[in-house]
Amino acid sequence: MSKGSNVEFSEREALLFHAGDRPGKLEIVATKPMATQRDLSLAYSPGVAVPVRAIAEDPAAAFDYTAKGNLVAVISNGTAILGLGNLGALASKPVMEGKAVLFKRFADVDSIDLEVDTEDADKFIAAVEVLEPSFGGINLEDIGAPECFIIEQALKERMNIPVFHDDQHGTAIISAAGLINALHLTGRDIKDCRMVVNGAGAAAIACTALIKAMGMPHDHVLMCDRSGVIYVGRDNVDQWKSAHAVETDKRTLEEALDGADIFLGLSAAGALPAEYVMKMADKPIIFAMANPDPEITPPEAREARPDAIIATGRSDYPNQVNNVLGFPFIFRGALDVRATTINEEMKIAAANAIAELAREQVPEEVAAAYGTAHSFGPDYIIPAPFDPRLMEEVSAAVAQAAMDTGVARQPILDMDDYRHRLRSRLNPTNAVLTSAFEQARAQPRRVVFAEGEEEVVLRAAIQFRDGGYGTPVLVGRDDVPDRLRELGVEDPDSFELHNSRNSPLVDKMVDLLYERLQRRGYLRRDCERMVNQDRNIFGALLLALGEGDVMITGVTRQFNQSLSQVMKVIDSSEDRRPFGIHVLVGKSHTVFMADTTINERPSPTLLADIAE
């Protein structure tokens, strides 16, 4: 069975998944029509000669006429595959294909995996260097240390496109994002903190370098390897480790952790005993990221220190340090401005964007994907990988940092438009709805949320208010503020709430409803019961009394039930018939279909009226 995840599967299932009808996880799909002879002539000979000449005259035109600007190479030699070690280039191919799939799924970046069969750093560099014309960026993966440092540095110096070793910098960026929020929750300043890093491999060194770049003083960090603390003058320390050596009389991990604020582990399972945790400062921050099993499990750490904030690399514990939060969107932003590199400022911008996103209200998509509610706090300092806002927030932050630091060859002139395109890139529905959202912001309304006790409705109301679309008017009982607080709302009492059992509007509502329904055989007590017990009746009456402009309902009742209740209160406009409409959104077009819910056999006249 699988380890390191709360998703269980057998080895046979994993093999069948990767085999299937078409072995592997990738295929090439044409983006232009290939249906006629004319299509073929344009795609290849003789039509292809035109962009060839254009690129020969201006190399930058390759971004306009080829896939280069959205194409990343995922490259490995298989010397450090996941937690499996050196199994060779060919064995790394399933991982590299998987990486390419993640690029496409999360950021619509096309990528091709390339497995280079050499452990010679110079040969590897030479093989990758000459590929620059083909790609917009290079993602290095699963390459052992110290060769990974040599390879990345040489390629960054020789190539004029972004080169990014995700095992180093991806882990560093997500760790830094989590650390920003952990510091925020514990009221610390990064400049005053003391950190112990256990592990001195590629990821540990990259994490340490980035955190120092964000403001942690060099002498506030103690790095440990298998031989203990790396201090100035210690023998058998290579140049990458020695860059983080400090003057100290501490020699062991246990000594180093005495009074430390932060433990950053990228070492081995069980490397952090509970008794060491007891020696750390108040509210210790523990990032135990050994793969597949952490240096200490969250239950063990919390038993030793209930005040600790804990993150791991595993999905079955809170606060997973998952690289998929970073690399797809970092490359998205870098590619979109045709960046020549991914520099420290771009990494810091990504870390800050990810950290800020975790502090915002969690959208319904994330709650649905994980089956539980999340809100910013000790168990939610890092956003979930399926948060759809990562695409916009991280990519835009990286693109802006590239422009600010002068490494963008094609600056973005309209960031609002760019953000809109990012939102629409993976979800065409966003493109259709954005204009509606903008109109809503321009003309904010009071919207009655008739089922205000339902979590999905409360999330919608929160996003409606935070998005600046208007004022949510909630219909529900007195425990609604408590539910809002559970969803991370700091000021739940600021939401307008109407309880149908004690609202001062009830008498007026009953009078209005009785006046409408008495000739249909309804008694006054029937109207009182409906007002007190039926949320759709109560919500519609809020509209009728001018307390709201729009009502949203239908989560707990079928459509026809909800409509019949509303129609007891509100009539259709004069000379008009109510109708239902569905919007079908495709990649290339949008279809509006009506009537789909109310009028079973609409006449030509009614259809014309609906269309109008």
Side-chain angles (χ1 to χ4, degrees):
M1 303 298 288
S2 66
K3 293 183 178 180
S5 172
N6 58 343
V7 179
E8 295 187 351
F9 54 83
S10 66
E11 290 187 2
R12 174 176 169 76
E13 185 180 358
L15 291 174
L16 288 173
F17 176 86
H18 286 81
D21 296 330
R22 183 195 292 264
K25 300 187 287 289
L26 298 173
E27 66 174 330
I28 302 285
V29 178
T31 59
K32 300 296 188 292
M34 294 292 161
T36 67
Q37 181 61 45
R38 180 177 178 80
D39 294 337
L40 296 177
S41 296
L42 286 168
Y44 198 55
S45 181
V48 75
V50 179
V52 167
R53 287 193 294 267
I55 293 170
E57 293 175 7
D58 177 13
F63 290 95
D64 300 317
Y65 302 125
T66 75
K68 176 182 173 71
N70 195 51
L71 191 60
V72 169
V74 180
I75 306 180
S76 179
N77 63 359
T79 53
I81 303 174
L82 298 175
L84 302 174
N86 184 352
L87 298 181
L90 185 59
S92 74
K93 189 169 180 64
V95 183
M96 301 310 113
E97 283 188 356
K99 194 84 171 190
V101 170
L102 296 178
F103 265 117
K104 188 66 176 178
R105 162 61 180 84
F106 286 99
D108 193 29
V109 172
D110 296 317
S111 56
I112 294 175
D113 65 292
L114 298 173
E115 291 71 39
V116 182
D117 192 12
T118 180
E119 295 186 18
D120 185 305
D122 292 332
K123 288 183 178 179
F124 189 101
I125 292 165
V128 176
E129 178 186 3
V130 296
L131 296 173
E132 181 171 341
S134 298
F135 299 100
I138 303 292
N139 184 98
L140 301 174
E141 194 79 15
D142 289 359
I143 302 169
E147 289 76 17
C148 62
F149 303 121
I150 300 168
I151 289 169
E152 185 190 40
Q153 186 59 41
L155 291 176
K156 289 180 72 171
E157 293 172 356
R158 300 181 192 183
M159 302 181 79
N160 207 32
I161 57 175
V163 177
F164 186 82
H165 184 207
D166 188 47
D167 297 314
Q168 294 183 58
H169 310 299
T171 303
I173 289 165
I174 312 308
S175 300
L179 181 59
I180 289 168
N181 282 337
L183 294 174
H184 176 82
L185 287 170
T186 57
R188 289 179 166 100
D189 188 322
I190 194 170
K191 296 178 181 177
D192 300 326
C193 292
R194 295 191 172 274
M195 181 172 75
V196 175
V197 181
N198 195 47
I205 288 173
C207 288
T208 305
L210 184 61
I211 291 169
K212 287 180 179 178
M214 293 171 61
M216 183 171 287
H218 170 76
D219 59 356
H220 284 202
V221 180
L222 295 179
M223 180 176 284
C224 302
D225 61 9
R226 291 184 180 89
S227 300
V229 175
I230 298 171
Y231 56 89
V232 174
R234 202 187 93 176
D235 295 333
N236 301 320
V237 176
D238 62 35
Q239 65 187 82
W240 296 280
K241 293 181 182 181
S242 65
H244 299 285
V246 296
E247 296 279 0
T248 179
D249 58 359
K250 296 183 177 182
R251 295 293 182 264
T252 67
L253 175 62
E254 183 178 9
E255 292 173 357
L257 281 169
D258 190 9
D261 300 286
I262 304 160
F263 171 84
L264 193 71
L266 288 141
S267 51
L272 180 63
E275 54 267 28
Y276 292 9
V277 176
M278 297 290 292
K279 297 186 176 185
M280 295 181 68
D282 291 341
K283 298 179 181 178
I285 298 168
I286 300 170
F287 279 46
M289 297 178 287
N291 188 13
D293 298 312
E295 286 82 358
I296 187 171
T297 66
E300 291 170 336
R302 191 154 279 122
E303 184 178 354
R305 294 295 297 271
D307 58 342
I309 293 179
I310 309 153
T312 71
R314 289 175 53 147
S315 62
D316 51 350
Y317 293 126
N319 300 326
Q320 183 191 17
V321 177
N322 189 333
N323 286 18
V324 80
L325 291 164
F327 71 84
F329 317 110
I330 293 165
F331 270 97
R332 178 76 278 151
L335 292 171
D336 289 341
V337 295
R338 301 181 188 176
T340 57
T341 188
I342 295 174
N343 57 30
E344 291 299 301
E345 291 83 359
M346 294 161 74
K347 297 173 194 173
I348 293 172
N352 282 321
I354 294 167
E356 289 169 9
L357 193 56
R359 299 179 206 169
E360 297 181 9
Q361 296 294 332
V362 178
E364 180 59 28
E365 298 97 313
V366 174
Y370 288 87
T372 183
H374 291 293
S375 60
F376 180 60
D379 286 336
Y380 193 75
I381 58 173
I382 302 172
F386 287 97
D387 193 322
R389 300 168 298 178
L390 285 161
M391 175 73 147
E392 176 185 353
E393 298 302 329
V394 181
S395 302
V398 170
Q400 186 65 58
M403 292 187 288
D404 293 343
T405 55
V407 299
R409 286 178 289 193
Q410 182 171 283
I412 295 167
L413 301 179
D414 187 339
M415 284 299 292
D416 289 336
D417 177 67
Y418 176 57
R419 284 177 168 271
H420 166 57
R421 286 186 280 119
L422 287 170
R423 289 193 296 270
S424 306
R425 187 147 195 156
L426 290 177
N427 186 356
T429 305
N430 284 330
V432 174
L433 295 180
T434 294
S435 61
F437 294 156
E438 291 172 352
Q439 290 180 47
R441 271 200 198 93
Q443 298 176 313
R445 294 284 190 264
R446 289 173 55 82
V447 174
V448 175
F449 290 83
E451 299 155 306
E453 295 171 330
E454 302 297 318
E455 182 178 311
V456 64
V457 174
L458 291 176
R459 288 184 181 279
I462 292 167
Q463 289 184 283
F464 179 80
R465 189 180 77 165
D466 291 350
Y469 303 119
T471 302
V473 179
L474 302 176
V475 176
R477 302 307 184 198
D478 291 338
D479 64 343
V480 168
D482 293 333
R483 300 189 182 198
L484 287 168
R485 193 174 288 107
E486 290 172 1
L487 294 174
V489 176
E490 295 181 356
D491 55 345
D493 293 330
S494 66
F495 279 78
E496 183 175 338
L497 173 64
H498 291 262
N499 186 337
S500 61
R501 289 178 180 169
N502 54 30
S503 170
L505 298 173
V506 167
D507 290 342
K508 189 181 295 186
M509 288 179 171
V510 173
D511 291 341
L512 191 157
L513 190 62
Y514 181 59
E515 183 180 345
R516 285 180 56 85
L517 300 182
Q518 59 182 320
R519 292 185 180 277
R520 301 188 206 174
Y522 287 88
L523 302 177
R524 185 176 180 84
R525 67 170 177 266
D526 297 325
C527 296
E528 290 174 348
R529 176 182 53 77
M530 286 189 286
V531 169
N532 287 329
Q533 298 182 12
D534 195 301
R535 292 177 288 186
N536 286 329
I537 295 285
F538 185 87
L541 283 164
L542 286 174
L543 295 188
L545 293 174
E547 297 292 330
D549 305 305
V550 182
M551 186 172 97
I552 294 177
T553 189
V555 171
T556 61
R557 300 282 180 87
Q558 292 182 344
F559 180 89
N560 60 342
Q561 289 179 300
S562 299
L563 179 66
S564 66
Q565 291 160 348
V566 171
M567 295 297 286
K568 284 185 172 70
V569 179
I570 299 173
D571 295 322
S572 58
S573 299
E574 187 176 354
D575 299 326
R576 297 286 183 180
R577 289 277 296 278
F579 63 90
I581 187 167
H582 277 85
V583 184
L584 305 182
V585 181
K587 282 192 173 182
S588 58
H589 63 283
T590 302
V591 177
F592 292 83
M593 298 182 65
D595 188 347
T596 52
T597 54
I598 298 174
N599 302 290
E600 185 175 356
R601 297 182 182 277
S603 66
T605 301
L606 180 55
L607 285 173
D609 184 59
I610 290 171
E612 186 180 67

